[in-house]
Amino acid sequence: MSPNITRITTAGHTVTVTSDAHSIPAWSRRYFGPWWNATEHTGPLTGPVVAADIDAAELSRLTRNALDRPHQTSPYAGTVMVHRRHSDGTVTAAQPGQDLAYHYEPAERRLRIVGGAPTPVATAAARLARELLRSQLIADGWQILHASAAVKDGRAVLTLGGKGAGKSTTALLLARAGWRLLANDRVFVRPTADGGVQVLPWPAAAAIGLGLLDALGLYDGVRARVLAGETLHPTQHQRVTDALTSGTREPLWNEKGKELKPQFFPDQIQTWLGAPLAADGTAAHILFPRITTAQDPAVTGEGRELTPDDFFTAGTEDRYPDIFGLAPASTEPHPAQRDDLTKLLSRLPRHGLTLGHDTATNTRLLQNLTSQRAEPQH
């Protein structure tokens, strides 16, 4: 049987997902979509390869290989990953609780994933394809900024702030008003030769709270699709699915105080939420919103200076453990590189603003503010 192939490309870097099962590369096309130009491919394989299949015999063999000799264990994607590095540098690993097993050959840049069911294999293939591309981007000088982003005519508006500040709200309001959504929570950024800052998306299932869906007038449409039998991303907590089924609109929280949110595939951001996606942009404006429902939306000033704390680091980024050694030897940029990028971003027009309870009024403020081609600050 000829393998099905999805090629994923961004900023000149490529990862290929192959499988004998059509659904597994199709899942990667759906997951990365236009954000990272994931398309069906028929030509030669280029870049690292993720070969993912349903294969009970190979699953059993690789799992025994990982378990039957001295090994390490690490928490990974909600379960335990058992892994061992061989003398030749290859890595064998297994998640017995997920019926998944892995073998990575760094010299060939080839990661083998096998499992007992299509969905876990497809999810693992997309997750690790993203890690392989992430490692290439980091090695190429890209850094990760904690921001949402929307793009229009190549101009990217970056929205910064802590949890609950309004990053997702701002990006979605713009995306539903003629812009394109570039990112919901984080972006890759890198200086350009002419002194600008290029922005790339971080593909992921978009987590959007029940309360925000309701405020944006999207809750009823999402609930209707769920009641009709359509499904969101499988990482979504069952309590969220139950809330949508029962019609609950209030935010949900787990025992650690983290909000539980609906998890949308990238294509569902477009088809369910009406927010088209963008593949890149050049940073043109920075917003620092604050949600204050008791007030009308308003510009509150120039916003603050950017700091190194606005970037994700190895210590602050909530990443999966690098079991296979995919990351470059040094995952942190030199302090001078981060300082230079911070200075470039800080020269852009910046505004602090409050957003109120009325979606239409918030949208008008954002459209007026972001349509102004203000001169960079110095």
Side-chain angles (χ1 to χ4, degrees):
M1 182 184 300
S2 299
N4 301 282
I5 302 173
T6 289
R7 186 181 184 188
I8 308 158
T9 304
T10 186
H13 298 287
T14 298
V15 169
T16 304
V17 177
T18 74
S19 179
D20 287 336
H22 173 77
S23 62
I24 293 172
W27 183 288
S28 285
R29 289 196 295 276
R30 185 182 187 191
Y31 191 84
F32 296 107
W35 265 336
W36 272 5
N37 191 30
T39 57
E40 196 165 5
H41 185 63
T42 56
L45 303 185
T46 57
V49 172
V50 177
D53 286 300
I54 312 302
D55 190 323
E58 191 174 6
L59 170 63
S60 178
R61 180 182 66 81
L62 288 176
T63 301
R64 289 198 309 271
N65 192 307
L67 287 171
D68 289 352
R69 298 181 184 180
H71 56 260
Q72 297 176 284
T73 60
S74 300
Y76 193 91
T79 64
V80 172
M81 177 86 84
V82 178
H83 52 98
R84 57 186 295 257
R85 184 173 297 274
H86 304 271
S87 59
D88 61 358
T90 61
V91 178
T92 302
Q95 288 174 279
Q98 292 287 321
D99 278 344
L100 289 169
Y102 310 79
H103 186 71
Y104 181 54
E105 302 175 18
E108 302 295 328
R109 296 197 300 172
R110 184 178 188 275
L111 177 63
R112 179 69 169 150
I113 304 174
V114 291
T119 296
V121 174
T123 304
R127 178 187 299 128
L128 285 158
R130 185 179 65 185
E131 288 300 298
L132 282 162
L133 259 175
R134 176 192 180 279
S135 70
Q136 295 178 68
L137 292 170
I138 295 298
D140 199 23
W142 293 87
Q143 300 180 46
I144 302 176
L145 184 68
H146 191 191
S148 69
V151 175
K152 187 174 185 179
D153 299 327
R155 300 167 57 244
V157 171
L158 302 175
T159 305
L160 282 73
K163 291 184 182 297
K167 295 192 299 298
S168 296
T169 299
T170 300
L172 283 170
L173 286 172
L174 287 171
R176 286 169 53 80
W179 292 62
R180 291 180 175 271
L181 183 68
L182 186 74
N184 188 50
D185 182 63
R186 66 189 73 184
V187 293
F188 289 94
V189 287
R190 189 178 71 170
T192 61
D194 59 0
V197 177
Q198 188 177 1
V199 187
L200 296 177
W202 169 267
I208 302 171
L210 295 170
L212 178 55
L213 288 176
D214 192 31
L216 295 175
L218 296 168
Y219 180 94
D220 290 332
V222 171
R223 180 171 184 254
R225 287 178 176 269
V226 171
L227 291 176
E230 297 185 61
T231 58
L232 290 157
H233 196 274
T235 57
Q236 177 174 289
H237 197 284
Q238 184 61 42
R239 286 178 57 198
V240 176
T241 305
D242 293 342
L244 287 168
T245 302
S246 66
T248 300
R249 299 168 186 262
E250 291 74 26
L252 298 174
W253 309 90
N254 66 13
E255 64 279 359
K256 296 181 180 179
K258 180 179 180 180
E259 186 176 0
L260 302 175
K261 302 177 180 180
Q263 304 279 332
F264 295 88
F265 279 100
D267 67 304
Q268 292 172 327
I269 298 172
Q270 300 186 105
T271 58
W272 291 34
L273 307 182
L277 305 182
D280 64 4
T282 300
H285 210 126
I286 298 179
L287 301 178
F288 298 92
R290 181 166 54 92
I291 303 293
T292 310
T293 56
Q295 299 180 13
D296 291 331
V299 176
T300 59
E302 293 185 349
R304 60 171 174 81
E305 295 285 340
L306 273 77
T307 73
D309 290 340
D310 290 310
F311 294 85
F312 280 110
T313 66
T316 61
E317 190 181 2
D318 50 345
R319 289 186 59 230
Y320 299 105
D322 189 16
I323 302 295
F324 304 101
L326 305 180
S330 175
T331 59
E332 295 296 332
H334 188 279
Q337 292 177 297
R338 182 152 290 172
D339 289 346
D340 289 345
L341 188 51
T342 300
K343 289 175 184 177
L344 287 174
L345 290 168
S346 293
R347 291 173 185 166
L348 296 174
R350 304 187 309 275
H351 288 96
L353 64 152
T354 58
L355 297 176
H357 70 281
D358 185 78
T359 297
T361 308
N362 289 335
T363 302
R364 283 195 296 272
L365 173 68
L366 290 170
Q367 287 179 305
N368 291 336
L369 189 60
T370 54
S371 65
Q372 300 171 11
R373 292 182 176 268
E375 293 299 320
Q377 301 175 5
H378 298 283

